[in-house]
Amino acid sequence: MTTRLIALGQGPDIAFDHPVLVLGRDPRCDARLDSPLVSRKHCCLAISDHDVIVRDLDSLNGVRINGEKITAGRLLPGDELAIADLRYRLDLVD
């Protein structure tokens, strides 16, 4: 199964090439997001059986799933993830 985040506007698509990804502005992050509103280490994503676990890493501008601000939550296929000002949709392909 291929898991990826599809950008809804600006920002890169993000493919899950590891079971756990750290996203942020820092060049050492697994996926680098080039936005001044994104924290150096903004959030962590972990692949579960049929969803993705999202955890905010104390970012300044937060993380939202389907418009709701979260500190931790589950992202299901088709859900929207907002990381500061960048928006994504979760896509799972068998």
Side-chain angles (χ1 to χ4, degrees):
M1 180 180 330
T2 303
T3 304
R4 63 186 179 154
L5 292 172
I6 306 298
L8 303 174
Q10 61 181 329
D13 288 352
I14 299 169
F16 284 74
D17 49 2
H18 303 290
V20 176
L21 297 177
V22 175
L23 283 63
R25 275 193 351 257
D26 193 297
R28 295 170 291 180
C29 287
D30 299 306
R32 188 169 183 282
L33 303 176
D34 191 24
S35 167
L37 298 178
V38 172
S39 297
R40 286 187 186 101
K41 290 187 178 174
H42 200 97
C43 63
C44 177
L45 307 175
I47 295 177
S48 184
D49 291 333
H50 299 287
D51 57 13
V52 173
I53 307 301
V54 181
R55 187 168 44 107
D56 189 343
L57 299 176
D58 296 323
S59 66
L60 183 61
N61 291 302
V63 176
R64 296 181 185 276
I65 294 177
N66 297 324
E68 183 178 331
K69 188 169 184 175
I70 57 102
T71 54
R74 291 188 181 275
L75 193 62
L76 300 171
D79 281 351
E80 183 178 304
L81 175 68
I83 301 168
D85 62 334
L86 304 176
R87 293 177 28 247
Y88 294 90
R89 185 186 76 247
L90 180 64
D91 186 31
L92 300 178
V93 179
D94 287 330

